[in-house]
Amino acid sequence: MDLSAINPMLFVAGFLVAATPLIFAAIGELVAEKSGTLNLGVEGMMITGAICGFAVAVESGSPLLGFAAAALGGAALSLLFAFLTQVTLANQVASGLALTLFGLGLSSLLGQSYVGIKPPRLPDIDFGPLREIPVIGPILFTHDIILYLGLVLVAAVWAMLKFTRAGLVLRAVGESHDAAHALGYPVKRIRTMAILFGGACAGVGGAYISLIRVPQWTEGMTAGIGWIALALVVFASWKPWRLLLGAYLFGGITQLQLNLQGAGVAIPVEYLAMSPYVITIVVLVILSRDKSAAPASLGRIFHASS
Amino acid sequence: MNRRTLLAGAAVALALATGAYAQDKTKVGFVYVGPIGDGGWTYEHDQARLAVEEEFGDAVETVYVESVAEGPDSERVMTQMALDGADLIFTTSFGYMDPTINVAKKFPDVKFEHATGYKRADNVSTYSARFYEGRAIQGHIAGKMTESNIIGYIGSYPIPEVIRGINSAFIHAKKANPDVQFKIVWAYTWFDPAKEADAARTLIDQGADVILQHTDSTAPQAAAQEAGNVITFGQASDMAQYAPKPRVSSIIDNWAPYYIDRVKAVMDGTWESTDTWDGIGPGMVGIGEITDAVPAEVKEEALALKEQIASGDYHPFTGPINKQDGSAWLADGETADDGTLAGMNFYVEGIEGDIPQ
């Protein structure tokens, strides 16, 4: 065992990157679920965002344009879900699963000619002297803008849900769509917008994998991160800060177990490999012992006649 | 994606069953563990499938299902293929071994070919390639090229196939450079680009300047390219898009001749359950171009090693070799037998760490 082989600064910087796709996908889904819609298509929207972002970044040479395209791609796919569940009143679970299958197929079709290409690199933000601060500098100030945007997004969603009128209306729609409807709020329009927001966030999360974390395009490259994001929303009790904590915990322990393996720590590898899932779930379950905060109308179909 | 192909297959089977010419075509099914666009393992199997189609044209019909999880899902997929009238089914991952045997029992008239397994039946053949021969050559290049003397290795699952590769690479890296040290990380997946990239980056952070991998995607290449002064090797497929650096050479699986042979055997009615394990000699294992990033003399040594292995003059597991615990395994000049290699569950002397059991 040689723990000195692990560089703590590189390790922390690494897990911030690993957690970012999860943060985007989960915070988007959190908003969608707060409005009362359960979209299981996160994986499909992520992978669609991954290829849309990759393709546009490669063609245009601009990674930022790629991320914008990824948001559009994810939102466009989620529009399909919105149509199915809000207009045709289809079952949300089945529609979400179909969305994932559709997204996986669509992305491999779109990605045919992008295998093996290197995407343009999004430069890290230049923080100047801040970068030179010992320990904190290399950890906090050596990242690209999207990573920081993820943090801002979590804060913004939290503030929006807690302090603003829009947040209140969104939560009202999620808790009791009939009551919200009776008060004159456009339930379907609000839900559609929440779904679109979720799709855009998932798309950006996917593009973060294909443009920054890996970076390349490979079919099926999200490999289950969308599903972890879905679980994270539930275990975080629909609370943005817990969600952030869960994402960091998951990303951190994933990185840590790889580091420990490399350093030859004498814990059986199987335990290390499952530790990110177990520890994240246990910690979040303990944190959420108070009350389950699931929106009361989650997954229920709304029609004005009912 | 899986369902899509499956449904298409079912539809075609239905159409064929009602058509008069249904009996003329030999139907061949393929079960893949990753997507056909993974750029590695599954990609090469699919290339071989296309080669079968090209060879026999209208006489065959192929169907495939990609990204099939090892376990109950794969059993369902195989059963569906057999029900749809497949004559021959290739199952292309180690984890499909028991499902293949189970399904084969239920369909005695359907022939099965399982890649990299060791369980056979009257209607189940096994086949694999001697990748460890290729890994010996990569190990040599790795040992010569490393400057930090730390070589990172991304393992998938601790099965004999992967352990054999680690041992072979280590033995030859050590011969080329007595100071090398292996850092091994198990990913517990065949295909997860994000995780593979993380694993590669972790190893690089810990000082490795050579990354060997036994997982299926090109993500470690991408990570190494970004890190700069690190070299990698193509796995299963050439991965030439990362040449001349970081990818400096590769092991290529060439299944096409074997697949064409076996499909032909089914057509002729001469198919028998066999166990095939071919290497560099017969061409089932190829060595991708060694790029100019490798010094000329090292390249020459590597090619010489390849020649020796191909001609059978040299076996990558030739004694004296001890096991990790120091006990003797192969005496001076003795070579390993296939049985031991097929079930290999120990590291050779000099590798640190334990194999997950």
Side-chain angles (χ1 to χ4, degrees):
Chain A
M1 170 156 50
D2 178 20
L3 285 181
S4 64
I6 302 174
N7 180 333
M9 281 183 277
L10 290 176
F11 160 67
V12 178
F15 91 59
L16 293 180
V17 171
T20 297
L22 206 50
I23 292 172
F24 272 102
I27 200 73
E29 177 66 12
L30 184 141
V31 170
E33 291 193 14
K34 271 286 184 191
S35 80
T37 55
L38 180 64
N39 185 354
L40 297 183
V42 179
E43 181 84 3
M45 301 185 299
M46 279 186 94
I47 191 84
T48 304
I51 184 56
C52 291
F54 191 88
V56 170
V58 167
E59 299 300 342
S60 70
S62 159
L64 281 177
L65 218 55
F67 278 106
L72 282 178
L77 195 64
S78 73
L79 198 58
L80 188 63
F81 177 81
F83 174 76
L84 286 172
T85 59
Q86 303 307 312
V87 179
T88 68
L89 305 184
N91 179 292
Q92 295 186 4
V93 171
S95 307
L97 291 174
L99 199 68
T100 286
L101 292 172
F102 178 65
L104 285 168
L106 179 72
S107 65
S108 67
L109 183 72
L110 291 175
Q112 299 270 320
S113 54
Y114 289 97
V115 174
I117 294 177
K118 190 182 175 187
R121 183 87 171 96
L122 183 64
D124 294 343
I125 298 180
D126 184 13
F127 282 102
L130 286 178
R131 219 177 175 139
E132 309 302 324
I133 305 173
V135 187
I136 297 173
I139 291 176
L140 292 183
F141 300 115
T142 54
H143 298 289
D144 52 88
I145 188 160
I146 304 293
L147 185 139
Y148 300 108
L149 187 67
L151 294 177
V152 172
L153 196 65
V154 172
V157 166
W158 168 75
M160 195 273 286
L161 287 174
K162 197 169 170 73
F163 298 120
T164 69
R165 184 181 168 79
L168 193 65
V169 172
L170 184 84
R171 282 189 292 152
V173 168
E175 293 296 339
S176 171
H177 46 221
D178 292 328
H181 176 66
L183 286 171
Y185 293 116
V187 172
K188 292 190 173 184
R189 199 186 310 155
I190 290 167
R191 285 195 171 159
T192 302
M193 282 175 352
I195 291 168
L196 285 175
F197 178 77
C201 289
V204 172
Y208 200 81
I209 300 175
S210 65
L211 287 175
I212 303 209
R213 190 167 165 207
V214 172
Q216 58 167 200
W217 165 249
T218 315
E219 263 183 50
M221 69 182 309
T222 47
I225 295 172
W227 297 109
I228 295 170
L230 269 168
L232 195 59
V233 175
V234 178
F235 283 113
S237 317
W238 293 267
K239 291 188 168 65
W241 294 116
R242 269 190 207 161
L243 186 147
L244 186 70
L245 174 80
Y248 279 155
L249 210 56
F250 186 83
I253 299 170
T254 306
Q255 293 287 311
L256 184 64
Q257 70 98 356
L258 291 171
N259 272 285
L260 291 177
Q261 280 198 47
V265 168
I267 304 170
V269 178
E270 293 87 344
Y271 293 112
L272 289 174
M274 70 180 174
S275 58
Y277 305 89
V278 175
I279 295 176
T280 308
I281 289 172
V282 167
V283 168
L284 290 176
V285 165
I286 292 171
L287 279 181
S288 61
R289 262 185 317 185
D290 42 5
K291 257 183 266 126
S292 168
S297 292
L298 184 59
R300 283 173 50 205
I301 291 169
F302 170 73
H303 190 263
S305 65
S306 60
Chain B
M1 180 165 46
N2 309 341
R3 199 140 302 170
R4 183 190 58 196
T5 4
L6 205 66
L7 287 177
V12 171
L14 209 66
L16 281 183
T18 49
Y21 71 118
Q23 298 308 315
D24 299 334
K25 283 199 176 192
T26 302
K27 187 161 176 176
V28 189
F30 294 81
V31 185
Y32 299 142
V33 71
I36 56 172
D38 69 353
W41 176 261
T42 296
Y43 173 78
E44 286 297 328
H45 282 285
D46 200 57
Q47 291 299 304
R49 177 184 70 85
L50 294 172
V52 167
E53 281 196 335
E54 187 157 320
E55 177 79 16
F56 300 108
D58 285 343
V60 297
E61 183 206 341
T62 66
V63 288
Y64 68 90
V65 183
E66 51 188 337
S67 298
V68 178
E70 298 176 335
D73 274 357
S74 66
E75 207 163 318
R76 278 192 283 276
V77 168
M78 290 170 208
T79 306
Q80 189 63 46
M81 275 187 180
L83 287 172
D84 287 347
D87 302 292
L88 174 66
I89 298 175
F90 290 93
T91 59
T92 63
S93 187
F94 180 79
Y96 297 153
M97 180 161 65
D98 291 327
T100 304
I101 297 287
N102 293 345
V103 177
K105 266 190 206 135
K106 286 185 252 169
F107 297 93
D109 295 336
V110 179
K111 314 281 189 262
F112 292 83
E113 297 263 351
H114 178 236
T116 71
Y118 53 82
K119 292 187 185 168
R120 273 179 298 285
D122 284 345
N123 59 336
V124 181
S125 282
T126 52
Y127 64 100
S128 183
R130 294 179 187 267
F131 308 112
Y132 66 87
E133 296 184 348
R135 287 192 188 275
I137 295 158
Q138 302 194 338
H140 181 83
I141 298 173
K144 286 282 182 191
M145 295 283 287
T146 179
E147 279 166 21
S148 64
N149 291 332
I150 298 173
I151 294 173
Y153 204 111
I154 306 170
S156 47
Y157 295 95
I159 56 172
E161 166 74 45
V162 178
I163 294 165
R164 208 159 50 225
I166 294 173
N167 283 332
S168 177
F170 180 76
I171 290 167
H172 294 88
K174 196 90 178 168
K175 270 186 193 166
N177 173 359
D179 294 329
V180 295
Q181 180 199 349
F182 266 35
K183 276 186 192 287
I184 301 159
V185 165
W186 296 96
Y188 280 90
T189 176
W190 286 113
F191 177 82
D192 182 343
K195 199 172 196 178
E196 292 168 51
D198 283 351
R201 222 168 271 137
T202 300
L203 289 164
I204 293 166
D205 287 349
Q206 293 197 10
D209 62 354
V210 178
I211 301 288
L212 292 161
Q213 70 180 97
H214 204 138
T215 48
D216 296 347
S217 86
T218 50
Q221 272 73 26
Q225 190 169 48
E226 207 174 65
N229 213 15
V230 178
I231 62 164
T232 64
F233 297 84
Q235 153 75 8
S237 186
D238 197 36
M239 303 187 178
Q241 63 268 29
Y242 291 97
K245 231 185 155 191
R247 168 228 171 269
V248 297
S249 180
S250 58
I251 306 180
I252 305 171
D253 309 346
N254 182 12
W255 306 109
Y258 180 76
Y259 283 9
I260 289 170
D261 256 19
R262 301 304 283 173
V263 172
K264 183 135 185 36
V266 168
M267 289 172 160
D268 300 346
T270 57
W271 191 94
E272 283 180 349
S273 172
T274 55
D275 177 29
T276 305
W277 204 15
D278 283 341
I280 293 179
M284 197 180 253
V285 174
I287 299 295
E289 187 220 351
I290 301 171
T291 65
D292 292 339
V294 178
E297 63 192 71
V298 177
K299 181 173 175 177
E300 235 165 75
E301 290 164 9
L303 290 176
L305 186 61
K306 179 187 167 191
E307 276 314 305
Q308 279 185 306
I309 293 174
S311 64
D313 290 344
Y314 175 73
H315 190 292
F317 289 101
T318 305
I321 301 175
N322 290 341
K323 294 187 181 178
Q324 189 184 31
D325 57 13
S327 63
W329 173 36
L330 296 173
D332 197 3
E334 191 187 353
T335 58
D337 62 280
D338 281 359
T340 315
L341 288 181
M344 189 174 256
N345 62 353
F346 57 87
Y347 285 147
V348 295
E349 191 171 39
I351 299 183
E352 283 164 36
D354 298 314
I355 298 172
Q357 294 296 342

